[in-house]
């Protein structure tokens, strides 16, 4: 049981799924010999052969659409979009087909596919390589939207996503791809796809986040603890369907909530979290629900990227504001 | 300057607009019973079409897209397929769907706005009618990928219109089908119009068969009003694909004799004279002429057939109209394989509120 | 000054813009001879000629992308997507190009285009013809998102959208296309693109909506008035940028808010409205913020469509619940 | 079966890999000064390229996409354009951009992660580098539409790679350009690879020139390592388009001698022998051979040129490295023409918070 990065854990989960189920096939741009530009599929072509690991032509709409067709035939299609910034041409297939094939045929056909892609900023990448489009997918009924925040979670969630009988959009916070290593047992155990994970207990304020923002929240929580403020941290690893119960229960307890997302503020998934809380936990709220998010502007190129990304200081400041209410 | 590649596009027609054979008849067409089966399906398609329009006009069906004049293209495709192939239609493939086993009642249900119309009781693996133009083309490649990886001798057959050939999805799907040598056949039913946009305004390409050249696959033209030719040409492409020799692309030349849909008024944008002229190439009349001339068909058979088709359509329409709407919970119950916990409460709220008012 | 439907008002605004500014060009599928499938561009080909009213091939990505290129050259490109259900292939161009051309070139190039499209349900249309995707566009920084709710507003907002130097997504609630007529003076006066409209004053509860939902809100408000409850109605005609100040001021006054959207609940723009209120008006809130929305499922085909659409009864019920808090 | 359309694809080369003329020289190429101008730009491109990689390796530039080996394709395109044409490049068109007036410092800024690198001080109407592959193709059609409607004798020139030809956007753009007869020229720089995907896996099409056939426009191949041939063939297409005779499509055959980008390791997926072989067709060496053979060039000129290029790149790199980052407020200030009121408060908050921490 070696220590794994998130890349290693994802690779391990893909290999495990392919070993367990011959119907699992992978395709995407450069997933074969190259092993994916981030090496998530490294070695899989050699292990599973060119019938199950396929390089596609450069066409994202087709990547998603081919996955729909293959999945309708019962293949578990795991399709990679090289960067989320290039996933937009695939949205049509996800909204108009993947998400509704089961519903429109009354269950006759279904779509057990995973559309996986790295997303998010913080690695000084070129233009169009740093965005966070999760909210667009989370608005599509019939999809599942999953975002791991750690190697272990990546392993368990990826297995769950592949085994799930419905289409899953799996967003991988690339900034965390190699940020940490942890023990990831290759035990074939999947994580649930409909539950938030409480990562840290605390009674004063609830921090809600997903993906790369979890690490920021943990650092912020440490800083807050130093001031005597106990933050509870929740990883919304499955944005859709959204496990509001876990978040609401925490906020009922703490009375304060800061939702942290890397994506641009307006219309982001943090707004969904906040709206749900405003509907269900109003009486418990002791402070306004704050959203710490990317600003409502285009993600800057690397030289100014750091100004855009929500970080520890902004999270702590928001918690401080929340704590300032009696 | 040297020449590095050359291409040519062929056109095949067998029975012409006057009902005369202009080429050699394929074996199946020498079997009168088989030709009559195709003829029958074309006539049934047209009966269904007329009834669907009538039901729409009287408020008992939703917006409907007629396949009037395109019966040969659809029936030829359906006839060329084997049962375990998979059809990925657009919305004017009634004739093909009928041969695949889709029922008239299912088609009425679909156009009547009921999801059960896509839950085909036969043709379980066929795709439902596809409304976003051309978006089913990548699915066809995906279905074909599954066939190929599983080494099944099956073929995916994808049908769309002249307008669809302008869509990026179609180009991407064709390219990937070529690159991966997939067992898929794309059939362009060129009916001259994409709503109000005439074929010539859709693309500067002189034929729509030549779109195949971009994907490195063979492209051919066929007289889409000649069911015999369609069946031959599509059949050849299908069997070629089945043998592992790669995808195919056929442009079937036909004409949309009706409005685009019941919501359209084609007189706003096209000359009625064009429609009148197009009737001369009516696929049903020409096959009838051929059958009559060959002695396989007569007045009585025609009368019987029309009556039988009307009766079949009557029965299906009645069954459709008698089908009660689905229960409200069906709005939620087919979304995921298992209703996620997070949706259970919403579903309950929906059931409490929905029946009252919507 | 004839009474106009929304279709007539839009047609009048397009004609006025084309008359005033030779750089305005229209294109899209069937916008020429056919005048658009809803007749919004009826007669414009005859009046302005085939150089300024162009039928495109059937390709939505190109429609948006050509608009970007033409707009970069200073044409005011008004591009029609025939139904919002077919706009998804255009999202890539809107996110990756239209919305950021000005920003990424530091103002050297810009994108004065309008992408207009009918959206929404309630007309018993075929599959894929009834969805409400406004939230996807409202999440894109650099765009403006505009939705008229009446003929007069359609006229003024369309003029503003065309004159605006930045890209505008203009969503037309097709259910209201011919629902009412009203006097629409062809005075060339544009409406502001950054202000919500207060449509009805009331002190008890704030109803926030856009598009076709305004009519439902007005009927609901009448019903509520009958019970002695005074609803204030706000038309968020410009979702992006969102004029939160007007909405917040109203909720500060009423203490109760029901946000009504036709789109599917999760991740819809109603969530943004609610989240903003939860952040800015918490102290004033006397009741949980309710969202009345399309359910989190695929818009059903016509036979069950009515079960999906938010209607007067659900709005009234939500207001009743809000009023039940002291 | 009758033939209804035929097509052929030609290939043009003028100066071959050995620096020998195999075809007739065009007029401009008989002017040594003009050839030297092109040669100089190719060498400058390569100097820039080497420096960019060095800066990236030492952490002073972001991920960079080299154009090593593709200098002739880019320079040929740039040379074929008139100043008031508009270039819509991908990310390896340095040579073309230099001829258009884009400065080395701007290019460094762009790859260094600074938006000012796309605010070209010359070439004001050219499009910035385009990263989403092929997505600039519809823009080119849009730019050309503006030229056409305004009756300006200008042409939009769009450059992308072999991989891009698989994108639906490109197919849609080409089709609309054909349908509307727009003054636009598409240049496919086929460098054999799309990251790790070799050309043959990208498409079953035998040439990428034949993609044009789908759009009903002429498509031709050219030796993309022969700057003279590129300039001739692209120039012909541009002038044809300028005369209102419609769009053009050129496949320029070249080779990506470098890794895909500095983030790539091509040894994972391609045989070094292939790269070694490709160096034999180096576009710079062959033009030098030609120039030397024709007496227009010698050792001294070469040495001077290399020095001059190094000095120019040095100066640009220094200027780039000395350029202070933009002020924080620029993150907001170019989003809309005028900052919307709704964003003013956020901008203020940003300015209060951003400088402290990000
Ligand atoms: C992607 C998309 N865009 C627009 C439409 C609206 N629409 C429905 S059918 C049609 C024309 C289709 O033309 P063609 O492909 O030739 O098929 P035909 O209707 O002639 O059978 C259009 C524009 C659609 N359904 N899908
Ligand atoms: C739409 C899109 N998908 C994926 C990528 C990632 N990517 C960048 S370059 C590239 C390969 C491009 O190949 P080609 O078009 O041949 O151009 P080349 O890099 O060879 O110049 C890929 C896949 C991208 N930038 N855009
Ligand atoms: Mg058609
Ligand atoms: Mg390439």
């Amino acid at each position: 049981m070696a220590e794994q990065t998130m890349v290693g854990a994802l690779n391990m989960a893909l290999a495990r799924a392919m070993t367990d189920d011959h119907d699992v096939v992978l395709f995407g741009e450069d997933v074969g010999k190259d092993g994916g530009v981030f090496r998530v599929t490294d070695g899989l072509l050699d292990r599973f052969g060119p019938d199950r690991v396929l390089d596609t032509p450069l066409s994202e709409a087709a990547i998603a659409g081919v996955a729909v067709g293959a999945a309708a035939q019962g293949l578990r299609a795991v399709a990679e979009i090289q960067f989320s910034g290039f996933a937009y041409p695939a949205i049509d297939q996800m909204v108009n087909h993947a998400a509704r094939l089961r519903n429109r045929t009354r269950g006759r056909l279904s779509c057990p596919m995973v559309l996986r892609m790295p997303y998010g900023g913080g690695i000084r990448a070129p233009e169009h390589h740093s965005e966070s489009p999760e909210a667009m997918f989370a608005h599509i009924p019939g999809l599942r939207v999953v975002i791991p925040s750690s190697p272990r979670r990546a392993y368990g969630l990826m297995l769950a996503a592949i085994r799930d009988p419905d289409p899953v959009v799996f967003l991988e916070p690339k900034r965390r791809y190699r940020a940490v290593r942890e023990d990831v047992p290759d035990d074939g155990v999947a994580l649930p796809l409909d539950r938030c994970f409480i990562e840290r207990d605390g009674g004063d304020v609830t921090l809600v986040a997903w993906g790369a923002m979890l690490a920021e929240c943990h650092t912020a929580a440490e800083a807050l603890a130093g001031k005597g403020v106990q933050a509870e941290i929740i990883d919304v690893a499955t944005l859709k369907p959204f496990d509001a119960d876990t978040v609401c229960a925490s906020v009922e307890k703490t009375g304060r909530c800061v939702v942290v997302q890397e994506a641009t503020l307006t219309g982001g998934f943090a707004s969904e979290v906040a709206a749900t809380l405003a509907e269900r936990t109003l009486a418990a709220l002791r402070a306004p629900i704050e959203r710490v998010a990317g600003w409502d502007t285009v993600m800057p190129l690397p030289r100014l990227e750091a100004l855009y990304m929500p970080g520890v200081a902004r999270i702590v400041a928001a918690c401080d504001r929340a704590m300032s209410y009696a | 300057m040297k020449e590095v590649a050359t291409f040519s596009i062929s056109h095949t027609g067998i029975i012409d607009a006057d009902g005369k054979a202009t080429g050699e008849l394929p074996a199946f067409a020498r079997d009168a019973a088989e030709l009559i089966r195709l003829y029958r399906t074309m006539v049934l398609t047209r009966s269904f079409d007329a009834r669907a329009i009538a039901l729409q006009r009287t408020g008992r069906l939703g917006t409907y897209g007629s396949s009037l004049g395109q019966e040969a293209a659809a029936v030829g495709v359906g006839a060329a397929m084997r049962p375990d192939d998979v059809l990925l239609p657009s919305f004017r493939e009634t004739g093909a769907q009928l041969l695949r086993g889709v029922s008239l009642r299912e088609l009425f249900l679909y156009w009547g706005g009921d999801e059960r119309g896509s839950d085909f009781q036969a043709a379980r693996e066929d795709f439902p009618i596809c409304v976003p133009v051309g978006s089913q083309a990548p699915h066809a490649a995906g279905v074909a990928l599954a066939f190929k990886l599983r080494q099944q001798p099956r073929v995916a057959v994808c049908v769309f219109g002249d307008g669809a050939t302008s869509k990026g999805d179609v180009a991407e799907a064709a390219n990937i089908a070529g690159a991966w040598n997939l067992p898929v056949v794309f059939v362009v039913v060129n009916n001259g119009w994409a709503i109000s946009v005439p074929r010539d305004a859709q693309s500067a390409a002189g034929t729509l068969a030549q779109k195949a050249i971009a994907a490195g696959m063979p492209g051919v033209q066929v007289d889409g009003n000649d069911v015999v030719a369609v069946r031959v040409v599509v059949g050849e492409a299908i069997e070629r694909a089945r043998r592992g020799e790669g995808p195919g692309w056929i442009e079937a030349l036909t004409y949309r004799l009706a409005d685009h849909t019941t919501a359209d008024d084609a007189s706003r944008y096209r000359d009625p004279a064009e429609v009148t002229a197009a009737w001369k190439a009516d696929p049903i009349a020409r096959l009838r002429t051929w059958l009559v001339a060959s002695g396989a068909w007569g007045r009585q058979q025609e009368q019987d057939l029309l009556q039988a088709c009307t009766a079949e359509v009557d029965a299906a329409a009645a069954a459709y109209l008698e089908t009660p709407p689905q229960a409200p919970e069906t709005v939620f119950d087919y979304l995921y394989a298992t209703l996620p916990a997070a949706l259970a409460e919403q579903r309950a709220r929906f059931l409490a509120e929905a029946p009252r008012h919507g």
Side-chain angles (χ1 to χ4, degrees), chain A, chain B:
Chain A
M1 186 166 83
E3 298 246 303
Q4 296 288 353
T5 61
M6 187 182 287
V7 165
L10 288 167
N11 184 275
M12 216 161 72
L14 293 171
R16 160 67 64 158
M18 296 185 83
T19 305
D20 290 353
D21 182 353
H22 195 78
D23 279 333
V24 177
V25 297
L26 310 188
F27 50 85
E29 295 157 14
D30 307 292
V31 300
K33 251 192 185 172
D34 198 34
V37 296
F38 287 104
R39 310 290 175 251
V40 172
T41 55
D42 193 24
L44 300 179
L45 172 64
D46 283 346
R47 283 175 67 185
F48 299 99
D51 270 5
R52 298 183 63 199
V53 181
L54 298 97
D55 280 334
T56 60
L58 209 170
S59 38
E60 282 78 11
I63 289 173
V66 166
V68 172
Q73 275 292 314
L75 289 183
R76 305 253 151 183
V78 182
E80 173 177 316
I81 299 289
Q82 198 161 80
F83 287 89
S84 66
F86 313 129
Y88 302 107
I91 286 187
D92 183 45
Q93 286 292 337
M94 299 313 289
V95 179
N96 278 337
H97 292 295
R100 52 178 83 184
L101 189 56
R102 179 188 296 281
N103 186 71
R104 53 198 285 265
T105 62
R106 304 285 89 172
R108 180 170 64 85
L109 298 175
S110 63
C111 195
M113 66 176 278
V114 178
L115 191 74
R116 47 168 294 270
M117 64 190 83
Y119 86 103
I123 64 161
R124 303 183 62 77
E127 219 174 349
H128 302 285
H129 284 69
S130 301
E131 286 75 5
S132 298
E134 68 271 17
M136 285 196 175
F137 293 109
H139 188 44
I140 306 175
L143 295 186
R144 291 179 180 275
V145 179
V146 176
I147 304 183
S149 61
S150 71
R152 220 174 302 160
R153 213 149 278 163
Y155 177 84
L157 290 171
M158 179 56 83
L159 277 184
I162 296 173
R163 292 176 189 163
D164 191 82
D166 289 306
V168 178
V169 176
F170 197 96
L171 293 144
E172 302 164 6
K174 63 172 102 68
R175 185 185 180 186
R176 305 299 299 167
Y177 263 160
R178 299 179 185 279
V180 294
R181 289 180 177 273
E182 62 181 3
D183 277 345
V184 184
D186 187 8
D187 53 11
V189 177
L191 287 168
L193 283 186
D194 52 7
R195 209 155 335 129
C196 292
F197 298 94
I198 299 180
E199 298 224 328
R200 179 187 174 116
D201 291 319
D204 296 326
V205 58
T206 303
L207 281 171
V208 181
W210 48 95
M213 290 299 106
L214 263 299
E216 307 292 311
C217 287
H218 279 287
T219 310
E222 287 302 318
L224 290 164
K227 310 193 209 179
V229 173
Q230 302 310 326
E232 180 141 307
I233 299 181
I234 298 182
D235 178 5
V236 187
T238 53
L239 277 67
K240 191 177 191 76
F242 169 49
D243 169 22
D245 290 347
T246 298
V247 176
C248 289
S250 173
V251 175
E252 292 284 352
K253 179 177 76 176
T254 61
R256 298 178 179 88
C257 186
V258 173
V259 194
V260 186
Q261 77 180 11
E262 190 176 316
T264 184
L265 176 75
T266 295
F269 196 76
S271 304
E272 182 59 34
V273 176
T276 304
L277 291 168
E279 204 161 80
R280 293 178 42 180
T281 66
L282 183 70
L285 286 176
R286 302 165 69 173
I289 305 165
E290 294 231 20
R291 291 167 292 165
V292 175
W295 305 99
D296 276 332
T297 185
V298 173
M299 163 70 82
L301 292 190
R303 270 187 138 188
L304 296 184
E305 181 185 18
L307 296 181
Y308 183 87
M309 305 280 294
V312 173
R314 285 178 61 201
I315 298 170
V316 170
C319 291
D320 286 347
R321 281 193 298 273
M323 293 310 298
S324 72
Y325 290 80
Chain B
M1 204 166 91
K2 60 177 191 265
E3 201 170 69
V4 289
T6 59
F7 307 93
S8 86
I9 302 295
S10 71
H11 174 101
T12 299
I14 296 175
I15 297 184
D16 70 11
D18 297 327
K20 302 240 161 65
T22 60
E24 210 202 332
L25 278 196
F28 79 84
R30 274 172 257 143
D31 172 4
E34 174 61 7
L35 280 194
I36 288 170
R37 185 177 77 101
L38 304 189
Y39 181 69
R40 187 187 194 290
T41 311
M42 287 163 65
V43 171
L44 181 61
T45 300
R46 194 165 286 186
S47 301
F48 168 81
D49 201 76
R51 183 66 52 92
I53 291 172
L55 286 171
Q56 193 281 333
R57 296 284 184 237
T58 51
R60 289 175 296 169
L61 201 81
T63 303
Y64 170 74
S66 164
S67 68
L68 186 70
Q70 303 179 204
E71 295 89 351
V75 167
V77 167
M81 294 175 69
R82 291 204 198 153
D84 69 348
D85 292 338
V86 163
L87 176 68
L88 298 101
S90 291
F91 36 82
R92 298 193 210 278
E93 278 63 64
T94 303
Q97 292 185 298
L98 292 177
L99 286 176
R100 304 283 306 153
V102 177
S103 74
L104 292 173
R105 175 169 161 274
E106 284 163 353
L107 290 168
F108 276 131
L109 276 170
Y110 178 80
W111 293 108
D114 189 314
E115 286 81 359
R116 287 169 297 185
S118 295
D119 183 15
F120 309 147
Q121 295 308 299
R124 297 294 294 168
E125 296 180 46
D126 279 9
F127 268 58
I129 282 175
C130 183
V131 165
V133 169
S135 62
Q136 81 278 32
H139 309 160
V143 168
L145 174 66
F147 294 162
K148 185 180 176 189
L149 298 187
R150 290 171 168 161
Q151 300 182 292
Q152 298 171 338
R154 302 168 68 188
V155 179
V157 179
C158 185
V159 187
F160 43 74
D162 44 301
T165 64
S166 298
K167 282 287 294 181
D169 324 35
V170 172
E172 291 194 3
N175 186 66
I176 207 168
W180 288 358
N181 202 47
L182 299 176
V184 53
V185 172
F186 301 101
V187 181
V188 183
V189 177
N190 175 357
N191 64 4
W193 293 87
I195 309 187
S196 73
V197 178
R199 157 63 187 87
D200 287 352
Q202 192 64 242
S203 177
T207 71
L208 296 178
Q210 76 202 53
K211 297 262 173 188
I213 297 172
M217 69 175 77
V220 296
Q221 249 186 8
V222 67
D223 180 344
N225 285 351
D226 174 0
V227 70
V228 174
V230 173
R231 191 188 152 151
V232 167
V233 171
V234 174
E236 278 166 6
I238 289 177
E239 295 315 319
R240 203 178 148 274
R242 200 185 309 285
R243 291 193 303 273
E245 292 166 30
W249 177 286
I250 291 115
E251 176 188 12
L253 291 162
T254 178
Y255 192 82
R256 195 193 82 206
L257 291 171
D259 289 341
H260 170 70
T261 64
T262 50
D264 178 51
D265 171 9
S267 73
R268 291 176 64 88
Y269 54 77
R270 75 175 174 184
D271 187 346
E274 185 183 300
V275 183
T276 310
W279 268 104
K280 301 222 170 81
D282 176 18
I284 293 188
R286 80 166 70 174
L287 185 56
R288 185 170 52 236
T289 305
W290 168 265
L291 286 172
V292 169
S294 68
W297 200 250
R299 196 170 253 262
Q300 186 60 46
Q301 284 102 321
E302 179 73 11
Q303 206 175 307
D304 292 350
L305 174 60
L306 291 177
Q307 236 164 40
C309 288
T310 304
E312 203 173 327
V313 170
D314 278 346
Y320 154 64
L321 292 169
E322 280 157 20
T323 306
Q326 300 171 94
E329 57 266 32
T330 61
V331 165
F332 275 92
D333 289 354
Y334 295 100
L335 191 62
Y336 298 94
T338 318
L339 191 77
L343 272 180
E345 194 216 359
Q346 192 176 126
R347 179 177 178 275
R349 204 150 28 95
F350 163 78
L351 285 178
E353 295 185 9
R356 272 192 292 142
H357 37 67

